[in-house]
Amino acid sequence: VQLQASGGGLVQSGGSLRLSCVASGFDLEHYAIGWFRQAPGKAAEGVSCTAGSGGGTYYADSVKGRFVISRDNARNRVHLQLDRLRPEDTAVYYCATDFALVCSRVEGGSDMDFRGKGTQVTVSS
């Protein structure tokens, strides 16, 4: 069972990136998948989540209107489109799940138990 994030990079302020989270060993369609980020010296922040089985989505206030989460169940992956990036978005981004249907833990400010290796996003001013 594995989650792997990719798609990070270095962009200028205002730029865009598309992150991908690929699952192996389980079918992510039925589970909530969250995207988190952690900057050096800071606690992890849950930025977005998509609930399983066609449920809703969640966005942190800090990214609302700029980031969009989507699913590609056929390819067993979840994407996070990052637009209008700001220097304060710089962090390691990783995807995670707690094998629950809903995004309650992310909405409540908690981490998810099973996380994948992250991808670095760096936004220059």
Side-chain angles (χ1 to χ4, degrees):
V1 176
Q2 190 175 10
L3 288 169
Q4 177 69 57
S6 63
L10 171 64
V11 295
Q12 290 187 329
S13 182
S16 297
L17 285 171
R18 188 183 191 222
L19 307 184
S20 295
C21 172
V22 179
S24 57
F26 73 102
D27 185 353
L28 60 71
E29 180 179 3
H30 306 295
Y31 303 109
I33 304 294
W35 278 98
F36 296 78
R37 65 186 181 187
Q38 188 162 21
K42 294 189 177 180
E45 176 190 13
V47 296
S48 186
C49 183
T50 173
S53 298
T57 56
Y58 161 82
Y59 297 95
D61 288 343
S62 57
V63 307
K64 206 170 287 183
R66 301 188 298 121
F67 292 7
V68 176
I69 194 169
S70 62
R71 285 179 175 266
D72 182 351
N73 290 329
R75 299 178 69 191
N76 216 31
R77 60 187 65 192
V78 171
H79 301 290
L80 187 68
Q81 178 69 36
L82 285 60
D83 294 324
R84 292 158 51 201
L85 281 161
R86 305 167 180 168
E88 55 264 38
D89 294 319
T90 295
V92 173
Y93 286 69
Y94 61 92
C95 52
T97 186
D98 53 6
F99 296 103
L101 182 64
V102 295
C103 295
S104 302
R105 292 186 69 177
V106 182
E107 294 170 357
S110 297
D111 207 338
M112 290 173 136
D113 293 331
F114 182 74
R115 64 161 73 173
K117 200 171 179 181
T119 185
Q120 176 72 46
V121 172
T122 303
V123 185
S124 63
S125 57

